[in-house]
Amino acid sequence: MVASLQSPDNGYSRERLGAYGLATSGWDLLPVCNPRSQSVAAGESAATSLADDVQPLWNGQQPETLDAWVALGRQVFFGFPLRAEPALASALGAPDRAAAFGVEHTDDGTYPGVLRFQDVDGTTQIGIACALCHSTVRDGQLVVGAARRGFDLGGLLVWHGEVAHQPMDAAMAARLGRWGPGRADITLDRDEDPVAIPDLWGLQEQSALTQGATIRHTGPVALAMRQETQLIETNHQRIRPPRPLAWALALYLYSLSPPARSTVVEGDDVSNGQAIFQATCQRCHDNPVGGGPPVPAALVGTDPALASGAARGTGLYRPPALIDLQHAAPYLHHGAIATLTELLTADRLRPDYQGGVRGPGPVVGHQYGFALSSSERTALEHYLVSR
């Protein structure tokens, strides 16, 4: 744990150092939860009972092969409730509103990441799993590991407060409303630093976890601890998962990759773009998935709120993996830029710039590529979306 924490003085690290793996105190004393849960489909009422024949997520036996561990991790990804979410329960009764907030269903009607589960108090609840934010539906098919760019969690929470006649205070409603689709501030502390929901591809090659490089990725144990502690905190420190499930989830995340392309992009433009990438971008994006080691936030020059925040600040940002970029917008850690063209163009620095997804005004930082000619930028874009 200690070796995996990039900055031991931020709130994230202090909380874990004071609560994790202490045996006689802290989170080890929480009840271990091996939940009973089932997926939820369109048209089902939130009041529907959990079926009597639903078994606990895990049978208690550790898998004996890597494939079996990965299969168990998939069950955790889709079936372990992060927490009960009343806003989703309300959305089930208003399918059009659910769709407007990005609560998607596949062709078979199932809502990935939306669960009906037995809570620790014995009640049946509607909750969320990892898949709600980290899978998406394209042409009716599920793409696992892709960030759900259209999921507007902040808008959903504000709407629920209104329809449940439990409106939140105006400042909090305004803060949640500023997130917009595909972004969330999971700490909700005094620092307002929402981030773009990340894709989960290429994690095994990255030397840091999270956009703010909060965790040194020293191996699968570091990722498993990150998943275990996330499940604990998201569940409001009421339960902890069996540690084999956190290990299984880490191995499943390692197994994820984007869907195969239907066409392969080739040509001189792509070759020229690769050469431009090597000269302009590869000094930071130098690992096999196009990511790289954390870099000082001041060097990147983007909004420093996350990098300097008390909750998870490290002074660093992690270069993201450059995988499936044609579906990865909005770009940068805070999801502030809508297109690759805007990312590489100095026009977004103008005070009257209108292209940012967070409203009018300049989007500063990450000025790499600004010096390129129009044809060079086009070639670089073609290469980036071909990776």
Side-chain angles (χ1 to χ4, degrees), residues 363-374:
V363 179
V364 300
H366 198 280
Q367 297 186 18
Y368 311 106
F370 283 11
L372 299 175
S373 68
S374 176

Side-chain angles (χ1 to χ4, degrees), residues 21-39:
L22 304 180
T24 58
S25 63
W27 292 338
D28 280 4
L29 302 186
L30 294 173
V32 176
C33 179
N34 181 23
R36 297 173 60 233
S37 68
Q38 62 186 160
S39 59

Side-chain angles (χ1 to χ4, degrees), residues 46-248:
T48 302
S49 299
L50 188 69
D52 292 337
D53 61 352
V54 173
Q55 298 299 308
L57 187 66
W58 181 42
N59 65 9
Q61 298 180 356
Q62 292 197 18
E64 297 182 356
T65 66
L66 177 58
D67 286 347
W69 276 109
V70 169
L72 178 58
R74 180 181 173 88
Q75 290 179 252
V76 178
F77 185 82
F78 285 95
F80 197 104
L82 295 170
R83 66 168 184 264
E85 184 46 76
L88 275 178
S90 293
L92 291 180
D96 289 345
R97 296 301 300 167
F101 289 123
V103 183
E104 305 170 331
H105 63 76
T106 56
D107 280 349
D108 67 0
T110 302
Y111 288 112
V114 181
L115 302 173
R116 179 174 289 105
F117 72 100
Q118 186 178 48
D119 208 349
V120 289
D121 62 2
T123 61
T124 297
Q125 301 286 346
I126 297 297
I128 62 176
C130 301
L132 183 66
C133 290
H134 298 290
S135 68
T136 195
V137 179
R138 295 179 190 160
D139 300 322
Q141 301 301 308
L142 187 64
V143 182
V144 183
R148 195 172 300 187
R149 308 291 177 188
F151 182 40
D152 187 356
L153 176 59
L156 176 65
L157 295 174
V158 173
W159 168 80
H160 169 68
E162 294 169 351
V163 299
H165 305 292
Q166 298 172 349
M168 58 188 65
D169 70 79
M172 179 58 71
R175 178 173 176 173
L176 296 180
R178 285 191 289 270
W179 293 359
R183 302 189 336 135
D185 183 353
I186 61 172
T187 57
L188 275 182
D189 55 10
R190 286 182 294 179
D191 299 323
E192 189 170 353
D193 48 12
V195 298
I197 299 170
D199 293 330
L200 296 180
W201 299 318
L203 287 180
Q204 198 162 356
E205 301 291 346
Q206 292 282 52
S207 62
L209 302 174
T210 80
Q211 292 99 318
T214 314
I215 304 156
R216 294 189 182 98
H217 189 196
T218 55
V221 171
L223 180 57
M225 286 190 295
R226 188 275 195 280
Q227 302 309 317
E228 180 185 354
T229 57
Q230 184 176 31
L231 292 173
I232 290 170
E233 287 211 295
T234 310
N235 256 302
H236 308 296
Q237 302 184 25
R238 298 164 65 232
I239 57 94
R240 64 182 178 91
R243 287 202 171 125
L245 296 192
W247 177 253

Side-chain angles (χ1 to χ4, degrees), residues 361-385:
V363 179
V364 300
H366 198 280
Q367 297 186 18
Y368 311 106
F370 283 11
L372 299 175
S373 68
S374 176
S375 61
E376 288 172 330
R377 278 197 298 271
T378 298
L380 177 58
E381 286 184 46
H382 287 177
Y383 169 68
L384 290 173
V385 299

